[in-house]
Amino acid sequence: MEEEEETRNQKKQTLIEEVAEKLINGDLEAKIQAARDIRKLVRKSAVKTRSKFAAAGVIQPLVSMLLSPNLHAREASLLALLNLAVRNDRNKIRIVTSGAIPPLVELLKFQNSSLRELATAAILTLSAAAPNKPMIAASGAAPLLVQILTSGSVQGRVDAVTALHNLSTGSENPNLILNVTAVSPLINLLKECKKYSKLAEKTAALLGILSKTEEGRLAISSSEGGILTLVETVEDGSLVSTEHAVGALLILCQSCRNKYRELILKEGAIPGLLRLTVEGTTEAQEKARTLLDLLRDSPPENRLTSSVLERIVYDIAKRVDGADKAAETAKRLLQDMVHRSMELSMSRIQLKAASSTPADIPSK
């Protein structure tokens, strides 16, 4: 049995060396075929096979093929490099240090949508390795990825968002990577996607970063449905996306309460925020409480803050059910208050709609 395994391994190693030889010393057609063979061989293989191909010296010639005037050569090398990089951080780093980023950035400018989106997928894959992030961030890739948010296919846009998220989360100053031109396409993506999806989580995170600058806040509030989309994410998002969305809304309101308070209230934010004080992550709960306090109409000195309300409810629960069950009872009481508040808000909306005369309703 061991001898059979050893024979198989030797055959595989011989094949790897033959393919590497064709790639390094063959003519253009041989190189293209070798790149295709590499993709095929590593696609469903163990991580070891990727490492063995790298050890055989295939990465540098594949990177050089990215500069070929022959589009088939570029595509074959891109696909081979993508497959070598998957689940192998060492290969990701080797590909970048071999000079792959400048030709990939050039491919992001291509009119050929297939090559452009393969390059986007490659940037995404390579940006997952932390040591690669500074070089990719400095390469000028980010503005081109933002363009793909507007003009790319569905998969291209998903890859571009994920790549931008990778680069931003690895940067000391993410606002140097993102600029306000990203706001409108990100808002549109968040509108279209399921609010609890991984895509929504990354998109909301990027909008949270952009909300930290005055230009970003202006872009969010002036984008059609910008604030509404964040409110809807607070209502329907996952634990992660709700935390990012409420964070962005809070930053807006803290930056200029007089300007953003009415805009946020107008989009019906209260029910979702109340629910988040009970059901969100610890950070999201705290942000929701702070935002609710800012949205209240009464002056600060007269406000009953969310934390005080919780303490009052806890004290009541402690008297009713005792200290052992107080936390559980308080949570149930707060949830009931949230649901009642949401029902009351809906009743007010329905009442307002029913009382509108035809003259009050804008024509289509």
Side-chain angles (χ1 to χ4, degrees):
M1 195 71 177
E2 287 182 9
E3 287 180 8
E4 287 178 9
E5 181 70 22
E6 181 67 26
T7 303
R8 274 199 300 272
N9 286 338
Q10 284 177 353
K11 282 183 178 178
K12 198 165 194 178
Q13 184 61 36
T14 301
L15 181 58
I16 287 169
E17 288 169 5
E18 287 173 356
V19 172
E21 174 64 23
K22 275 201 297 181
L23 180 73
I24 295 165
N25 296 316
D27 60 17
L28 182 60
E29 287 305 314
K31 287 177 186 289
I32 292 171
Q33 188 55 53
R36 289 171 179 163
D37 289 342
I38 290 169
R39 181 200 180 196
K40 198 182 299 179
L41 288 165
V42 302
R43 207 171 178 184
K44 296 178 182 177
S45 298
V47 174
K48 281 182 182 178
T49 306
R50 294 177 173 84
S51 298
K52 285 176 180 177
F53 266 112
V58 303
I59 287 177
Q60 187 62 64
L62 285 171
V63 169
S64 298
M65 283 174 71
L66 293 174
L67 298 164
S68 172
N70 184 302
L71 296 186
H72 296 298
R74 288 188 174 191
E75 183 177 23
S77 61
L78 249 178
L79 288 166
L81 287 166
L82 262 171
N83 281 274
L84 286 167
V86 170
R87 292 186 293 140
N88 193 310
D89 275 9
R90 185 172 290 181
N91 280 359
K92 289 183 180 75
I93 294 164
R94 282 173 174 165
I95 290 166
V96 169
T97 55
S98 296
I101 298 305
L104 286 174
V105 169
E106 287 305 308
L107 287 172
L108 289 177
K109 301 173 186 175
F110 258 47
Q111 294 303 309
N112 182 313
S113 59
S114 174
L115 279 173
R116 186 178 61 185
E117 295 196 0
L118 279 175
T120 305
I123 293 285
L124 157 61
T125 303
L126 297 172
S127 66
N132 290 343
K133 292 182 182 185
M135 191 176 292
I136 298 172
S139 70
L144 299 168
L145 293 170
V146 170
Q147 287 178 21
I148 290 166
L149 293 180
T150 305
S151 59
S153 68
V154 173
Q155 188 58 54
R157 291 156 75 197
V158 170
D159 287 349
V161 163
T162 310
L164 286 167
H165 183 264
N166 284 350
L167 295 172
S168 301
T169 52
S171 170
E172 290 181 5
N173 190 350
N175 287 306
L176 293 177
I177 295 164
L178 287 169
N179 63 48
V180 291
T181 59
V183 168
S184 181
L186 286 171
I187 291 288
N188 288 334
L189 262 181
L190 194 54
K191 278 182 195 173
E192 294 166 11
C193 71
K194 291 174 181 174
K195 303 296 185 289
Y196 53 81
S197 65
K198 293 290 182 187
L199 176 61
E201 292 175 2
K202 292 178 174 66
T203 305
L206 293 174
L207 287 167
I209 291 168
L210 286 159
S211 71
K212 293 175 182 175
T213 67
E214 180 60 27
E215 295 83 359
R217 292 190 287 272
L218 286 171
I220 290 169
S221 60
S222 58
S223 290
E224 186 178 352
I227 290 176
L228 175 60
T229 302
L230 289 172
V231 169
E232 289 173 343
T233 306
V234 168
E235 292 172 348
D236 301 325
S238 68
L239 288 172
V240 174
S241 55
T242 53
E243 185 177 309
H244 290 310
V246 73
L249 290 170
L250 176 59
I251 290 170
L252 260 66
C253 204
Q254 285 176 327
S255 71
C256 184
R257 182 175 179 269
N258 291 339
K259 178 176 181 178
Y260 291 109
R261 177 180 169 275
E262 287 300 325
L263 292 175
I264 295 169
L265 284 171
K266 189 177 76 172
E267 303 300 357
I270 298 296
L273 291 171
L274 283 168
R275 192 181 69 186
L276 203 57
T277 63
V278 176
E279 298 178 357
T281 64
T282 303
E283 191 169 342
Q285 288 181 22
E286 186 56 41
K287 287 176 178 178
R289 292 186 196 106
T290 306
L291 182 54
L292 281 166
D293 292 340
L294 287 169
L295 294 176
R296 291 195 175 110
D297 200 17
S298 55
E301 62 272 16
N302 295 334
R303 286 183 206 155
L304 180 64
T305 65
S306 301
S307 56
V308 171
L309 176 62
E310 285 177 18
R311 186 171 291 280
I312 291 169
V313 172
Y314 179 82
D315 288 342
I316 294 168
K318 190 175 176 181
R319 289 194 203 103
V320 173
D321 282 346
D324 292 345
K325 296 182 179 178
E328 187 180 334
T329 303
K331 184 176 181 181
R332 194 168 63 248
L333 286 169
L334 282 166
Q335 284 175 329
D336 186 53
M337 290 169 67
V338 168
H339 293 314
R340 286 176 184 277
S341 175
M342 291 174 75
E343 287 170 6
L344 183 60
S345 295
M346 284 304 300
S347 298
R348 284 174 179 163
I349 291 166
Q350 289 166 353
L351 186 65
K352 188 174 179 182
S355 64
S356 296
T357 64
D360 295 326
I361 301 169
S363 58
K364 291 182 180 178

